[in-house]
Coordinates of all heavy atoms in Angstrom, one line a residue:
P23 N 123.5 95.5 93.2 CA 122.3 95.4 92.4 C 121.9 93.9 92.1 O 120.7 93.6 92.1 CB 122.7 96.1 91.1 CG 123.7 97.1 91.5 CD 124.5 96.4 92.6
D24 N 122.9 93.0 91.9 CA 122.5 91.6 91.6 C 121.8 91.0 92.8 O 120.9 90.2 92.6 CB 123.7 90.8 91.1 CG 124.8 90.7 92.2 OD1 125.0 91.7 93.0 OD2 125.4 89.6 92.3
K25 N 122.3 91.3 94.0 CA 121.7 90.8 95.2 C 120.3 91.4 95.4 O 119.3 90.7 95.9 CB 122.6 90.9 96.4 CG 123.8 90.1 96.4 CD 124.6 90.2 97.6 CE 125.7 89.1 97.7 NZ 126.6 89.2 96.6
Q26 N 120.2 92.7 95.1 CA 118.9 93.3 95.2 C 117.9 92.7 94.3 O 116.7 92.5 94.6 CB 119.0 94.8 94.9 CG 119.8 95.6 95.9 CD 119.7 97.1 95.6 OE1 118.7 97.7 95.3 NE2 120.9 97.8 95.6
A27 N 118.3 92.3 93.1 CA 117.5 91.7 92.1 C 117.0 90.3 92.6 O 115.8 90.0 92.4 CB 118.2 91.6 90.8
R28 N 117.9 89.6 93.1 CA 117.5 88.3 93.7 C 116.5 88.4 94.8 O 115.5 87.6 94.9 CB 118.7 87.5 94.2 CG 119.7 87.1 93.1 CD 120.8 86.3 93.6 NE 121.8 85.9 92.6 CZ 122.9 85.1 92.8 NH1 123.1 84.7 94.0 NH2 123.7 84.9 91.8
F29 N 116.7 89.4 95.6 CA 115.7 89.7 96.7 C 114.3 90.0 96.1 O 113.3 89.4 96.6 CB 116.2 90.8 97.6 CG 115.1 91.3 98.5 CD1 114.9 90.6 99.7 CD2 114.4 92.4 98.3 CE1 113.9 91.1 100.6 CE2 113.4 92.9 99.1 CZ 113.2 92.2 100.3
E30 N 114.3 90.9 95.1 CA 113.0 91.3 94.6 C 112.3 90.1 93.9 O 111.1 90.0 94.0 CB 113.2 92.4 93.6 CG 113.8 93.7 94.1 CD 113.0 94.4 95.1 OE1 111.8 94.0 95.4 OE2 113.5 95.4 95.7
I31 N 113.0 89.3 93.2 CA 112.5 88.1 92.6 C 111.9 87.2 93.6 O 110.7 86.7 93.5 CB 113.6 87.3 91.8 CG1 113.9 88.1 90.5 CG2 113.1 85.9 91.5 CD1 112.8 87.9 89.4
A32 N 112.7 86.9 94.7 CA 112.2 86.0 95.7 C 111.0 86.5 96.5 O 110.0 85.8 96.8 CB 113.3 85.7 96.7
A33 N 111.0 87.8 96.7 CA 109.9 88.5 97.4 C 108.6 88.4 96.5 O 107.5 88.2 97.0 CB 110.3 89.9 97.8
A34 N 108.8 88.7 95.2 CA 107.6 88.6 94.3 C 107.0 87.2 94.3 O 105.8 87.1 94.3 CB 108.1 89.1 92.9
E35 N 107.9 86.2 94.2 CA 107.4 84.8 94.2 C 106.6 84.5 95.5 O 105.5 83.9 95.5 CB 108.5 83.8 94.0 CG 109.0 83.7 92.6 CD 110.0 82.6 92.4 OE1 111.1 82.6 93.1 OE2 109.7 81.7 91.7
A36 N 107.2 84.9 96.6 CA 106.5 84.7 97.9 C 105.2 85.4 98.0 O 104.2 84.8 98.4 CB 107.4 85.1 99.1
A37 N 105.1 86.6 97.5 CA 103.8 87.4 97.5 C 102.8 86.7 96.6 O 101.6 86.6 97.0 CB 104.1 88.8 97.1
L38 N 103.2 86.2 95.4 CA 102.3 85.5 94.6 C 101.8 84.3 95.2 O 100.6 83.9 95.1 CB 103.0 85.2 93.2 CG 103.2 86.4 92.3 CD1 104.1 85.9 91.1 CD2 101.8 86.9 91.8
G39 N 102.6 83.6 95.9 CA 102.2 82.4 96.6 C 101.2 82.6 97.7 O 100.4 81.8 98.0
L40 N 101.2 83.9 98.3 CA 100.2 84.3 99.3 C 99.0 85.0 98.6 O 98.2 85.5 99.4 CB 100.9 85.1 100.3 CG 101.9 84.4 101.2 CD1 102.7 85.4 102.1 CD2 101.3 83.4 102.1
N41 N 99.0 85.1 97.3 CA 98.0 85.9 96.6 C 98.0 87.4 97.0 O 97.0 88.0 96.9 CB 96.6 85.3 96.8 CG 95.7 85.6 95.7 OD1 96.1 85.8 94.5 ND2 94.4 85.8 96.0
D42 N 99.2 87.9 97.4 CA 99.3 89.3 97.7 C 99.8 90.0 96.5 O 101.0 90.3 96.3 CB 100.3 89.5 98.9 CG 100.5 90.9 99.3 OD1 99.9 91.8 98.7 OD2 101.2 91.1 100.3
L43 N 98.8 90.3 95.6 CA 99.2 90.8 94.3 C 99.8 92.2 94.3 O 100.7 92.5 93.5 CB 97.9 90.8 93.4 CG 97.2 89.4 93.3 CD1 96.0 89.5 92.3 CD2 98.2 88.3 92.9
A44 N 99.4 93.0 95.2 CA 99.9 94.4 95.3 C 101.4 94.3 95.6 O 102.2 95.0 95.0 CB 99.1 95.2 96.3
S45 N 101.8 93.5 96.6 CA 103.2 93.4 97.0 C 104.0 92.8 95.8 O 105.1 93.2 95.6 CB 103.3 92.6 98.2 OG 102.8 93.2 99.4
A46 N 103.4 91.8 95.2 CA 104.1 91.2 94.1 C 104.4 92.2 93.0 O 105.5 92.2 92.4 CB 103.3 90.0 93.5
E47 N 103.4 93.0 92.7 CA 103.6 94.0 91.6 C 104.7 95.0 92.0 O 105.5 95.4 91.2 CB 102.3 94.7 91.3 CG 102.4 95.7 90.2 CD 101.1 96.3 89.8 OE1 100.0 95.9 90.4 OE2 101.1 97.2 88.9
S48 N 104.7 95.4 93.3 CA 105.6 96.4 93.8 C 107.1 95.8 93.6 O 108.0 96.5 93.2 CB 105.3 96.7 95.3 OG 106.4 97.6 95.8
H49 N 107.3 94.6 94.0 CA 108.6 94.0 93.9 C 109.0 93.9 92.5 O 110.2 94.1 92.1 CB 108.6 92.6 94.6 CG 108.6 92.7 96.1 ND1 109.6 93.2 96.8 CD2 107.6 92.2 96.9 CE1 109.3 93.1 98.1 NE2 108.1 92.5 98.2
L50 N 108.1 93.5 91.6 CA 108.5 93.4 90.2 C 108.8 94.7 89.5 O 109.7 94.9 88.7 CB 107.3 92.7 89.4 CG 107.2 91.2 89.7 CD1 105.9 90.7 89.0 CD2 108.4 90.4 89.3
R51 N 108.1 95.8 90.0 CA 108.4 97.1 89.4 C 109.8 97.6 89.9 O 110.6 98.2 89.2 CB 107.3 98.1 89.8 CG 106.0 97.8 89.1 CD 105.0 98.9 89.2 NE 103.8 98.6 88.5 CZ 103.5 98.7 87.2 NH1 104.6 99.0 86.4 NH2 102.4 98.3 86.7
D52 N 110.1 97.3 91.2 CA 111.4 97.7 91.7 C 112.5 96.9 91.0 O 113.6 97.5 90.8 CB 111.5 97.4 93.2 CG 110.7 98.4 94.0 OD1 110.3 99.5 93.5 OD2 110.4 98.2 95.2
L53 N 112.2 95.7 90.7 CA 113.2 94.9 90.0 C 113.5 95.5 88.6 O 114.6 95.5 88.1 CB 112.6 93.4 89.8 CG 113.5 92.5 89.0 CD1 114.8 92.2 89.7 CD2 112.8 91.2 88.8

């Protein structure tokens, strides 16, 4: 779980950087 959490955090940050808000929200909800 701790590694999954780090993945979701990193993926959400990357999505926000690309202004992909739907993906960012999905990662944050999974987190």
Side-chain angles (χ1 to χ4, degrees):
D24 64 324
K25 289 186 171 57
Q26 291 185 50
R28 292 184 182 185
F29 168 80
E30 300 295 354
I31 284 284
E35 283 189 297
L38 287 171
L40 294 171
N41 203 34
D42 183 356
L43 304 185
S45 294
E47 183 174 358
S48 174
H49 287 296
L50 289 175
R51 291 194 182 282
D52 287 345
L53 177 65

